[in-house]
Amino acid sequence: MHKSPIIELGGIPIDLSIILMLIVTCVVVFVIAKLATRNLSVENPGKLQNFMEWAVEFVQGLISSTMDWKKGKHFLSLGLTFIMFIFVANLLGLPFGIVTDYHDAGHAHIFGKEIVSVTEEFAKHPESEEVGVAWWKSPTADASVTMALALIVFLLSHFLGITKNTKNYFKHYFQPYWFFFPINVIEQFAKLLTQGMRLFGNIFAGEVLISVLLKLTALGAVGWVASALGLIVWQGFSIFVGAIQAFVFTILTMVYISQMIETHDEHEH
């Protein structure tokens, strides 16, 4: 696996590839949304408009399946943003990669800052002839990104629970009995951890497999054939995985929000 381009600002490590890929993801999603809504038409909608309308209806269905639509309609834009952002982010690392090779630690600088991941690698392995740095990858293949997304959901759902369903929010921590309080607290943090790490694990594993398949080319002609066939199959499957993970993250977001803003009786119905 290649190293990430990490620099330090004020003693804080900053992964430049993650910042780059988050910006690219936002730009791609914005462009898609802008093009889809640029020339809206009822009688003759374009393909992108049809896609966006389908996406909106799909997210509406997700919300309606988890909570009352009167309460859930406010989260339509949130759900649409999540599912589009995560889907695009999941796929960015599939088509290609951008890697730069450094042959000595002295040249490992960018913006006047030392790329510490490269210098540390040369310090650990002085015999290394070069260190590769990956600039283009799926941002959701990094745990810090997926956990940040999960933290947004965690904080938002609990804020809504406290402000919109105060009595039932605090009451549910002591159900069915008061001594279940520690378990219920642990459950909330477990939701945060599993929502973030599930997304990270699936996308990261896919990128690891792609790097393994690329290394098969070192085996000669047979390796090239095996690598090409493997990449075709796996990249096709990765599109499916990326879509499923975007769906899972979004539906869990709506489930967690509904659990906080609706009472037990409303859940029953």
Side-chain angles (χ1 to χ4, degrees), residues 163-183:
T163 56
K164 295 185 177 297
N165 192 26
T166 308
K167 180 179 178 181
N168 287 288
Y169 172 81
F170 290 105
K171 182 180 178 182
H172 94 276
Y173 283 104
F174 300 93
Q175 292 178 336
Y177 303 103
W178 65 267
F179 52 81
F180 275 73
F181 174 75
I183 297 176

Side-chain angles (χ1 to χ4, degrees), residues 124-146:
K124 291 179 182 178
H125 305 284
E127 73 282 359
S128 299
E129 296 183 359
E130 65 180 29
V131 175
V133 174
W135 294 89
W136 188 279
K137 58 184 179 181
S138 295
T140 44
D142 189 284
S144 62
V145 174
T146 60

Side-chain angles (χ1 to χ4, degrees), residues 23-206:
I23 293 173
V24 171
T25 303
C26 291
V27 169
V28 171
V29 173
F30 176 80
V31 169
I32 292 174
K34 188 66 177 178
L35 292 176
T37 57
R38 183 176 54 177
N39 296 313
L40 295 177
S41 173
V42 176
E43 297 179 354
N44 187 29
K47 293 181 179 180
L48 273 178
Q49 181 182 334
N50 285 330
F51 165 76
M52 188 59 68
E53 289 177 354
W54 171 84
V56 170
E57 291 175 358
F58 182 75
V59 175
Q60 283 179 331
L62 294 184
I63 296 172
S64 298
S65 68
T66 58
M67 67 185 87
D68 181 63
W69 175 244
K70 290 183 180 180
K71 291 184 177 182
K73 62 183 179 181
H74 307 291
F75 308 115
L76 177 60
S77 58
L78 174 68
L80 189 62
T81 301
F82 267 142
I83 202 165
M84 290 186 64
F85 179 88
I86 294 172
F87 179 65
V88 171
N90 290 348
L91 300 188
L92 283 181
L94 293 181
F96 59 88
I98 298 176
V99 178
T100 55
D101 293 323
Y102 292 91
H103 298 280
D104 63 80
H107 291 87
H109 289 80
I110 187 170
F111 305 132
K113 295 289 185 179
E114 174 187 341
I115 303 179
V116 295
S117 54
V118 175
T119 55
E120 289 176 356
E121 184 66 16
F122 276 118
K124 291 179 182 178
H125 305 284
E127 73 282 359
S128 299
E129 296 183 359
E130 65 180 29
V131 175
V133 174
W135 294 89
W136 188 279
K137 58 184 179 181
S138 295
T140 44
D142 189 284
S144 62
V145 174
T146 60
M147 287 305 299
L149 291 172
L151 183 61
I152 292 173
V153 176
F154 179 84
L155 294 176
L156 175 62
S157 60
H158 284 271
F159 172 77
L160 291 171
I162 293 172
T163 56
K164 295 185 177 297
N165 192 26
T166 308
K167 180 179 178 181
N168 287 288
Y169 172 81
F170 290 105
K171 182 180 178 182
H172 94 276
Y173 283 104
F174 300 93
Q175 292 178 336
Y177 303 103
W178 65 267
F179 52 81
F180 275 73
F181 174 75
I183 297 176
N184 288 327
V185 171
I186 293 173
E187 179 190 13
Q188 298 306 313
F189 287 99
K191 290 178 180 178
L192 166 65
L193 182 63
T194 55
Q195 187 177 18
M197 294 307 292
R198 179 189 294 106
L199 177 58
F200 160 70
N202 280 277
I203 306 307
F204 179 73

